[in-house]
Amino acid sequence: MSSSDPPLWTADFRLFFTARTTSLLGDAMLPVAITAAVIRAGYGASGVGYALAALVAPFAVLIIFGGVMSDRFGARRLMVVSDTARLCSQGVLALLFLLGAPQLWQILVLLALIGAGSAIFQPGVASITPLTAHDVQKANATLRISESVTLVIGPSLAGLLLAVSSPAAVVALDALTYAASGACLLLLRSVPMGPAAGRNGESSFRADLVEGWREFRARTWLWSVIVVFMLWQLAGAGPTTTLGNSALVTDHGASVFGLVMSSLGAGSVLGGIVAIRLRPRYPLRAGALSMILWVFMPLGVALDLPAPLIAGCYGVSGVGMAFWIVMFHTSVQTHIPQHVLGRVHAYDAAGSLVMKPVGQAAAGPLAVVAGAVPLLYVSASMALVACALLLAIPAVRGLRRVER
């Protein structure tokens, strides 16, 4: 970094980084804590499935509305409200577990409220990042490193705490991460509590929703990336998650699976570090090329390589995906007007994720018919197909880097 480069670690970015990291840590710990608590309450594996679905489903359904609300009322305000709501909901859930075995419907309702809070929180991340950081790409890369670290540390920390305390105590401790996040967001100085400048305050909720869609649809590079990623999630990432993870646990054991996932996290950290240093003139072109590295994840399992080599494959894939994510998020945050950024980010997040559960659900039945290994080869090829499709679209490969 030259002496003329503005510093990344301003007071506000430190606060935002802390808020984001603590929130991510809570998100990473929660599934482990909930799984243990639900099983201890006597609801078994089916209860765990219902609980995790109740946590995720509202996020997928409500994130677009969260984007509208973020732009309409202010990203910072909505994130503080989200943290407060999740702190209260999870605090009540911890109390119910502490007092005994709550009814399953009570668990599901409270988890659904937590998931809804996450849907309100997430769009603000895209809106606030360019307001707190002078260097948006470096900020995104740093946040990506933080996310990767929390994905590795969070479940392990939850497991360690479960070994020395009750699930109720871990759920309660996890709830405090939202308190820390909200406190940091309240202290931000450079981000207004209200909506961004340039927003029409008299528009209706429906008009805001339509405006976000119009801004999303007007950019060929943006919606075409999402279409490609829908295909990749359906035939690539979805099946690999189901079949690859299942094969690792079945063939190598849970400890090896943990090692492999840690390697994936380490690769993501390395990819974030590369994204801090490498600043391509055409970010989506460079990001699309980095996606080729993802081919190693399903390929390592399909070839039945030794566990250390599979871990290496996952690590390499993590590098490629982390670099792509930083390039894409930076492009969105620097090309989209601030007053519609929350809504546009919500549309791209919803579109990017909507086909993954379909691919995950379909992978098992298809593997019975066609075999798991052939499907993993198909998944591996989808990385190459996605890269080729992205590079074939002039608006994607020709999108230039801009500073903001």
Side-chain angles (χ1 to χ4, degrees):
M1 183 177 72
S2 67
S3 59
S4 61
D5 290 335
L8 173 66
W9 294 100
T10 61
D12 271 1
F13 184 74
R14 287 193 188 95
L15 286 169
F16 180 59
F17 176 84
T18 303
R20 181 65 178 142
T21 301
T22 53
S23 180
L24 286 168
L25 184 63
D27 292 343
M29 291 173 62
L30 185 56
V32 177
I34 290 300
T35 298
V38 170
I39 290 176
R40 184 166 179 171
Y43 296 111
S46 60
V48 172
Y50 294 140
L52 295 180
L55 184 63
V56 173
F59 179 87
V61 172
L62 298 176
I63 187 171
I64 291 177
F65 299 98
V68 175
M69 293 172 66
S70 178
D71 287 338
R72 190 175 183 83
F73 301 111
R76 181 178 165 211
R77 177 183 295 164
L78 264 292
M79 293 171 80
V80 171
V81 169
S82 168
D83 280 332
T84 304
R86 290 187 290 177
L87 170 64
C88 294
S89 299
Q90 198 162 319
V92 171
L93 184 60
L95 181 61
L96 290 176
F97 282 126
L98 185 64
L99 294 176
Q103 297 294 314
L104 183 58
W105 69 266
Q106 294 173 319
I107 299 173
L108 299 184
V109 168
L110 289 168
L111 287 175
L113 291 174
I114 296 170
S118 298
I120 294 174
F121 185 94
Q122 181 60 36
V125 175
S127 300
I128 287 183
T129 300
L131 295 178
T132 58
H134 299 296
D135 189 324
V136 178
Q137 179 180 322
K138 190 176 292 185
N140 277 312
T142 303
L143 292 171
R144 182 61 189 171
I145 292 170
S146 169
E147 181 177 357
S148 301
V149 171
T150 57
L151 286 175
V152 175
I153 293 177
S156 301
L157 178 60
L160 180 63
L161 292 172
L162 285 170
V164 298
S165 62
S166 68
V170 178
V171 172
L173 182 63
D174 179 50
L176 295 179
T177 61
Y178 300 122
S181 172
C184 289
L185 291 170
L186 282 172
L187 294 173
L188 288 178
R189 294 178 179 271
S190 61
V191 183
M193 271 292 189
R199 224 199 77 81
N200 179 9
E202 299 180 355
S203 61
S204 66
F205 191 93
R206 181 180 181 278
D208 284 349
L209 195 66
V210 171
E211 183 185 15
W213 173 251
R214 189 185 304 120
E215 293 282 350
F216 174 81
R217 189 182 61 182
R219 292 165 172 80
T220 302
W221 65 267
L222 181 56
W223 64 257
S224 58
V225 165
I226 301 307
V227 170
V228 171
F229 260 71
M230 290 174 69
L231 175 63
W232 176 72
Q233 294 280 23
L234 177 65
T240 295
T241 302
T242 299
L243 302 178
N245 292 357
S246 298
L248 285 170
V249 173
T250 302
D251 299 340
H252 299 279
S255 60
V256 169
F257 176 65
L259 171 66
V260 169
M261 298 310 293
S262 296
S263 178
L264 177 63
S268 297
V269 170
L270 180 57
I273 294 172
V274 172
I276 288 177
R277 307 299 302 175
L278 189 61
R279 310 173 74 83
R281 180 179 297 179
Y282 300 96
L284 295 185
R285 184 187 301 181
L289 289 171
S290 75
M291 277 194 63
I292 296 175
L293 297 177
W294 187 85
V295 72
F296 291 102
M297 184 185 294
L299 199 59
V301 180
L303 293 173
D304 195 24
L305 298 177
L309 291 182
I310 294 177
C313 288
Y314 271 63
V316 171
S317 296
V319 173
M321 285 310 302
F323 186 80
W324 160 259
I325 289 171
V326 173
M327 294 299 107
F328 177 69
H329 285 177
T330 301
S331 297
V332 171
Q333 291 164 6
T334 54
H335 283 82
I336 305 298
Q338 186 69 37
H339 70 281
V340 294
L341 185 52
R343 281 166 282 173
V344 172
H345 172 66
Y347 277 114
D348 82 57
S352 297
L353 296 174
V354 68
M355 297 308 294
K356 186 172 184 177
V358 178
Q360 289 173 324
L366 286 174
V368 173
V369 177
V373 171
L375 284 181
L376 286 170
Y377 282 127
V378 171
S379 295
S381 69
M382 285 308 302
L384 304 178
V385 171
C387 176
L389 290 174
L390 290 172
L391 294 177
I393 301 169
V396 173
R397 70 171 184 269
L399 187 75
R400 285 180 173 268
R401 170 186 174 80
V402 299
E403 299 293 345
R404 179 170 170 177

